[in-house]
Amino acid sequence: EEVMSLAQHPLVSPIGWTLVHFLWQGTAVAGLLALMLAVLRKKSANARYAAACVAMLLMALCPLVTFFVVKMNASTPLTPQQVAALSIYAKDAHLNLEPASPFSALLKSLEPFLPSLVLAWSLGMLFLGVRMAGGLLQVERLKRRESAPAGEEWQAKLDAISQRLG
């Protein structure tokens, strides 16, 4: 019963559609970046870096914008009486209520899988968050631990490399 109520949460559908749409959006941004990097192949590393930073910014913005667009376009679900009334009206007006294209039919067929997709994504995010927190704890532990500076031989090598790199 808990899982069913989670599946019917009003944010599940917008988050699910955001994840689905980010598949093509992320692919498009990555394709554009690949094209830009090919064009900038002989340009400075700073130019290529800037292009990659713009692509990362777009990758971060796409899901945010998509979520709000999907959320704003989501209407309240129709009651069974409204669906029946619309069906009667459509038959009287000789309207076709079937999806307009095979693509929209495909999208409609994804609807039942959105709660599972959102759950899998949430579990993945939780796992990665716990992993990152563990890494940060490890770094803090290493900082607090007593450590000795590198020997003079290593410092001399580092200084030589630093001189060569300018």
Side-chain angles (χ1 to χ4, degrees), residues 94-118:
H94 303 291
L95 296 176
N96 185 3
L97 292 179
E98 294 300 314
S101 69
F103 181 70
S104 57
L106 171 69
L107 287 179
K108 191 71 174 155
S109 70
L110 292 176
E111 189 86 35
F113 300 104
L114 292 182
S116 299
L117 176 65
V118 171

Side-chain angles (χ1 to χ4, degrees), residues 69-150:
V69 167
V70 168
K71 184 85 173 104
M72 287 174 44
N73 288 337
S75 61
T76 57
L78 296 176
T79 65
Q81 295 84 5
Q82 290 170 322
V83 171
L86 282 173
S87 296
I88 291 169
Y89 171 76
K91 285 179 186 172
D92 289 344
H94 303 291
L95 296 176
N96 185 3
L97 292 179
E98 294 300 314
S101 69
F103 181 70
S104 57
L106 171 69
L107 287 179
K108 191 71 174 155
S109 70
L110 292 176
E111 189 86 35
F113 300 104
L114 292 182
S116 299
L117 176 65
V118 171
L119 179 63
W121 175 76
S122 299
L123 290 174
M125 293 296 293
L126 178 66
F127 171 76
L128 292 175
V130 168
R131 183 172 168 242
M132 181 184 287
L136 290 173
L137 288 173
Q138 180 73 10
V139 167
E140 284 299 315
R141 195 180 110 249
L142 289 173
K143 275 180 22 181
R144 284 192 304 263
R145 223 165 153 208
E146 287 185 35
S147 60

Side-chain angles (χ1 to χ4, degrees), residues 44-63:
S44 71
N46 284 341
R48 294 188 305 274
Y49 177 75
C53 286
V54 168
M56 284 179 43
L57 180 64
L58 285 173
M59 290 272 196
L61 288 177
C62 281

Side-chain angles (χ1 to χ4, degrees), residues 153-166:
E153 177 186 337
W154 286 106
Q155 189 61 48
K157 288 181 181 183
L158 181 61
D159 289 341
I161 291 171
S162 178
Q163 290 287 332
R164 280 193 294 180
L165 292 174

Side-chain angles (χ1 to χ4, degrees), residues 3-17:
V3 174
M4 284 304 282
S5 64
L6 178 64
Q8 294 170 348
H9 192 278
L11 291 179
V12 168
S13 184
I15 291 172
W17 285 119

